[in-house]
Amino acid sequence: MTKNATEVLVEVHRGPILECSHRGHVAIWRHGEGLIGGIGDTEARILPRSSSKMIQALPLVESGAADARGLTPEHLALSCASHQGAAIHTDRVSAWLADIGMSESDFRCGVQWPNDVPARDALICSHCGPDQRHNNCSGKHTGFLTYSQHVGAGPEYIDPSHPLQAAISEAWDDLTDEPNPEFAIDGCSAPNFATRLSGLARAMAAYAAATTDGGTRQAAMARLRDAMMLHPDLVAGEGRACTRLMRAMDKRAAIKTGAEGVFIAIIPELKIGVALKIADGATRGSEAAIAHILGALGVLDPQHPEALAFTHGPIRNWNGIETGHYRIADALTGLQL
């Protein structure tokens, strides 16, 4: 399961013709047992991108900042979110900022047009542009500001030497077993710590096994995980795979996408964490692969319409004509768990 080249995980067919293949790696870890399944190179080093937001949110809860500010599961779900910039997201971010006496100008995440179509169109029609609240990471950054305010740290919370980033790095070391991780700067300007794929799966398995009475760290992990499952609409948004598949699983798993073809899953009832990476960075490949794996693990009905939408399609053109479909490749259907 290790030190192998990528394997084909997902195929894209147009009519009778195989048009595209997405190759990648998969690691599946059970807490207390270790790696129980893998495809490709489970030791491949990757940048987890936004799939790691629940680790970046740990200091917010562990420090006592979340309780001091009376944060609810909605706040915690937003702290782990890559949201659409819809009103349900930006209204909550605005209220949270007001509650801590801060404003959009305190963010360091940058301005992004919302991916939510009604929100985008409303800005255009009112001759307005977006601000940093529309950034898909603004919930995470509000959590960063809340932590920094609570511990009395400075405003440049994205600086790798900032106490917040030191706290995230310590949590990362512990959960992934990656001492002194390398990092790169993410799209929201925060450090993003590199890891082996198996290390990311290990961390997600720790979240899966965490209990609210297991100590400070476990309790924080359990609260973040449960908030994601309780509020899938805040973690992503309408039309997004994270939201659609979590709704279909009805609180049986928390899942999170990351840029460049990364996806994770946290499955409490099995104490399993899943991490996968599509080598070409294609989101459609990672969405199809995670949907299949969730079905294989028994927490998502493979015949559920939302599951089939990602694992099979159909693919339609602008006229609504069915032009093709996805196919889960043999390496993935043959994965032994």
Side-chain angles (χ1 to χ4, degrees), residues 86-250:
I88 64 166
H89 307 120
T90 55
D91 288 351
R92 285 170 171 79
V93 167
S94 297
W96 187 357
L97 284 171
D99 286 345
I100 62 173
M102 305 190 91
S103 70
E104 176 267 344
S105 64
D106 293 302
F107 283 150
R108 300 292 184 265
C109 54
V111 175
Q112 178 184 354
W113 277 95
N115 289 320
D116 180 74
V117 174
R120 182 201 64 194
D121 290 351
L123 288 171
I124 294 171
C125 290
S126 60
H127 303 285
C128 294
D131 61 39
Q132 293 183 96
R133 292 170 300 173
H134 297 97
N135 188 298
N136 79 96
C137 297
S138 66
K140 179 179 80 172
H141 282 247
T142 314
F144 285 174
L145 287 171
T146 305
Y147 168 90
S148 299
Q149 184 185 74
H150 182 74
V151 302
E156 301 305 323
Y157 59 83
I158 61 172
D159 189 310
S161 64
H162 191 276
L164 168 66
Q165 300 305 330
I168 294 171
S169 179
E170 183 279 322
W172 193 264
D173 292 356
D174 176 46
L175 295 175
T176 65
D177 193 27
E178 289 272 352
N180 303 309
E182 297 178 297
F183 68 88
I185 301 304
D186 212 340
C188 69
S189 299
N192 193 245
F193 295 104
T195 182
R196 293 167 291 121
L197 193 69
S198 61
L200 185 58
R202 179 184 190 268
M204 297 306 109
Y207 271 83
T211 60
T212 54
D213 59 357
T216 301
R217 174 149 293 173
Q218 279 202 39
M221 290 193 292
R223 287 174 66 183
L224 290 162
R225 173 201 71 207
D226 293 349
M228 292 174 68
M229 294 190 293
L230 186 61
H231 297 289
D233 54 336
L234 299 182
V235 173
E238 299 304 321
R240 296 278 300 285
C242 292
T243 296
R244 292 167 62 184
L245 293 174
M246 279 197 283
R247 282 174 173 165
M249 290 184 288
D250 192 22

Side-chain angles (χ1 to χ4, degrees), residues 10 15 37 42 56 76 89 114 119 129 153 194 207 216 223 234 248 304 311 324:
V10 179
T42 59
Q56 292 174 304
L76 298 186
H89 307 120
Y207 271 83
T216 301
R223 287 174 66 183
L234 299 182
H304 191 289
T311 59

Side-chain angles (χ1 to χ4, degrees), residues 234-270:
L234 299 182
V235 173
E238 299 304 321
R240 296 278 300 285
C242 292
T243 296
R244 292 167 62 184
L245 293 174
M246 279 197 283
R247 282 174 173 165
M249 290 184 288
D250 192 22
K251 304 179 186 65
R252 296 184 72 183
I255 63 173
K256 183 72 185 68
T257 189
E260 301 298 342
V262 182
F263 230 117
I264 63 88
I266 299 166
I267 306 172
E269 66 192 68
L270 302 176

Side-chain angles (χ1 to χ4, degrees), residues 71-86:
L71 300 189
T72 68
E74 288 191 0
H75 293 98
L76 298 186
L78 271 176
S79 74
C80 300
S82 297
H83 65 67
Q84 294 280 77

